[in-house]
Amino acid sequence: MSMEAIDELRLSGLAQIETAASSADLEQLRVAVLGRNGSLTLMLRALGSIPADERAAVGRAVNSLRDEFESAFAARKALLADAELDAQIASGSLDITLPGRPMAIGSQHLISQITEEISEVFRGIGYTVVSGTEVETDYYNFTALNTPPDHPSRGLQDTFYIRDRSGDQAVIEGESDVVLRTQTSGVQVHTMEQQKPPIYILAPGRVFRRDAPDPTHLPQFSQIEGLVVDKGITFADLKGTMDFLCQQVFGSDRKTRFRTHFFPFTEPSAEVDVSCGVCGGVGCRFCKGTGWLEILGCGMVDPNVFGFVGIDPDEYSGFAFGLGIERTACLKYNVSDLRMLLEGDVRFLRQF
Ligand code: DAH
């Protein structure tokens, strides 16, 4: 085998590749050159019988020709495939019955998932799920919830004020009466204004507070509010309902504990803790050694609130409760930082 023979094969081979008229012709040519008994393959095989002093140079030339052929075949193949597809489309013979590429489908966010789960639990015991508005007047967010104007939670520190009393100015400190609601509790007032007892409602929704985001705070988060007003409702009904809620959400092995607390719109009020799911109540880092995790606020509806909506406290009584959904999600799945719920990282979200 001489260098001339290699060169000849190179010239004729490349010319044939360039002029191959169809993918089928090209494939035939590829087999004739690079196939098991192809012209180039035979050359490679014959290298062994070449005198040792020429072998290295000839071997290099044949190998580099193989590389050259392979890329020429690939380039021509792509070109012909494009042209053939164009021709197929032009002649109307494209197979449109081929299945399409599947789209990646997302999943429900953990916050929506837990909201839906809790709503289902309460629908099951006869509650109606209602929604309020995220923009609220301070009458509904505070005053009618027995929270007088000098109450600290009204301060600009906690509340986003939207505009001043004239309606279209930017925020003037302490002058605005339109707020982004800081709690879903205002839905209690709207509901009691619109509907006579018996009332059994659940109100999930977004709330806003002037907090910098950190592992346990978000400036925007979600709550679920519950309200019951009926004849003869007692604290025992509240306790039973909260036990039921915690066991439905966290599992039947979890215990609850009521601690006395203050909320302006309930009297008496309590905070409810659920036993820690990580250590089973013995005490660990997650529950800061206490064995308990604070989960919600609740209480018996304050008669003053009934006064604002014209319900007779001698005829009716009721209870209310409110829980943070992000917090509930973190406690249920042992997530240590609330912000992870908002980052939109699908690798995190797909776990639930
Ligand atoms: N609104 C309260 C908060 O955001 C939570 C709350 C506490 C709601 C007691 C209630 C309740 O309905 O009775 O901190």
Side-chain angles (χ1 to χ4, degrees):
M1 177 195 340
S2 64
M3 288 301 237
E4 287 75 46
I6 298 172
D7 231 27
E8 228 167 78
L9 178 60
R10 183 174 174 275
L11 287 176
S12 70
L14 289 177
Q16 281 176 291
I17 293 171
E18 266 328 292
T19 52
S22 69
S23 300
D25 288 356
L26 187 70
E27 179 58 15
Q28 236 173 28
L29 182 61
R30 196 191 60 78
V31 172
V33 178
L34 296 172
R36 197 137 46 94
N37 293 312
S39 40
L40 189 81
T41 313
L42 294 179
M43 273 189 179
L44 280 163
R45 238 181 260 155
L47 281 176
S49 56
I50 288 182
D53 56 338
E54 291 170 29
R55 198 180 299 151
V58 176
R60 227 177 292 130
V62 178
N63 276 306
S64 100
L65 179 55
R66 186 186 49 193
D67 293 345
E68 206 176 337
F69 275 163
E70 277 172 355
S71 42
F73 273 116
R76 185 73 185 156
K77 185 175 171 180
L79 204 87
L80 288 172
D82 273 355
E84 283 161 14
L85 184 64
D86 284 347
Q88 230 180 355
I89 293 171
S91 72
S93 64
L94 183 69
D95 183 1
I96 57 161
T97 64
L98 280 174
R101 292 194 188 96
M103 278 213 284
I105 299 173
S107 61
Q108 199 178 32
H109 193 278
L110 187 55
I111 302 302
S112 315
Q113 213 174 294
I114 294 205
T115 306
E116 204 32 61
E117 193 180 312
I118 296 177
S119 301
E120 262 322 287
V121 165
F122 278 89
R123 278 196 199 99
I125 54 170
Y127 284 55
T128 304
V129 178
V130 303
S131 57
T133 54
E134 291 169 6
V135 177
E136 188 60 285
T137 61
D138 80 9
Y139 176 79
Y140 287 101
N141 197 69
F142 294 123
T143 309
L145 287 165
N146 202 30
T147 310
D150 55 357
H151 193 277
S153 66
R154 284 183 167 224
L156 270 181
Q157 259 175 359
D158 297 315
T159 308
F160 288 108
Y161 286 86
I162 298 227
R163 53 180 156 82
D164 74 357
R165 289 178 200 283
S166 70
D168 50 20
Q169 299 274 303
V171 176
I172 297 171
E173 225 176 286
E175 283 290 300
S176 171
D177 56 6
V178 181
V179 303
L180 289 183
R181 66 175 173 186
T182 59
Q183 52 187 356
T184 45
S185 304
V187 182
Q188 291 184 34
V189 182
H190 286 289
T191 305
M192 289 188 284
E193 277 181 354
Q194 286 158 14
Q195 173 185 344
K196 293 284 146 233
I199 292 169
Y200 290 80
I201 57 130
L202 204 67
R206 226 168 261 140
V207 302
F208 307 84
R209 290 185 195 176
R210 283 175 50 126
D211 277 323
D214 70 24
T216 56
H217 294 86
L218 295 171
Q220 171 188 321
F221 57 103
S222 319
Q223 288 187 332
I224 292 191
E225 191 79 17
L227 173 71
V228 166
V229 184
D230 206 342
K231 286 183 175 149
I233 298 292
T234 69
F235 202 91
D237 297 306
L238 170 60
K239 276 196 88 173
T241 308
M242 295 305 97
D243 279 352
F244 175 70
L245 165 62
C246 289
Q247 293 189 347
Q248 289 291 314
V249 174
F250 295 103
S252 53
D253 56 328
R254 306 291 278 268
K255 296 190 175 53
T256 55
R257 155 176 106 166
F258 286 66
R259 278 180 293 104
T260 174
H261 200 76
F262 173 80
F263 294 105
F265 40 90
T266 43
E267 182 60 33
S269 302
E271 273 188 338
V272 177
D273 300 338
V274 63
S275 56
C276 177
V278 175
C279 63
V282 196
C284 67
R285 261 170 51 139
F286 195 65
C287 58
K288 300 199 180 80
T290 64
W292 296 97
L293 302 162
E294 179 199 322
I295 165 84
L296 59 81
C298 63
M300 302 306 290
V301 178
D302 193 303
N304 288 348
V305 175
F306 283 145
F308 279 101
V309 294
I311 289 179
D312 180 359
D314 292 328
E315 192 180 357
Y316 291 105
S317 56
F319 65 77
F321 58 93
L323 80 165
I325 300 176
E326 284 78 358
R327 192 177 158 72
T328 305
C330 288
L331 296 186
K332 180 164 177 172
Y333 294 106
N334 307 330
V335 176
S336 56
D337 191 329
L338 287 179
R339 293 170 296 186
M340 293 174 86
L341 296 171
L342 298 190
E343 278 166 357
D345 185 334
V346 291
R347 291 166 304 178
F348 170 75
L349 296 171
R350 279 213 182 107
Q351 298 177 79
F352 308 107

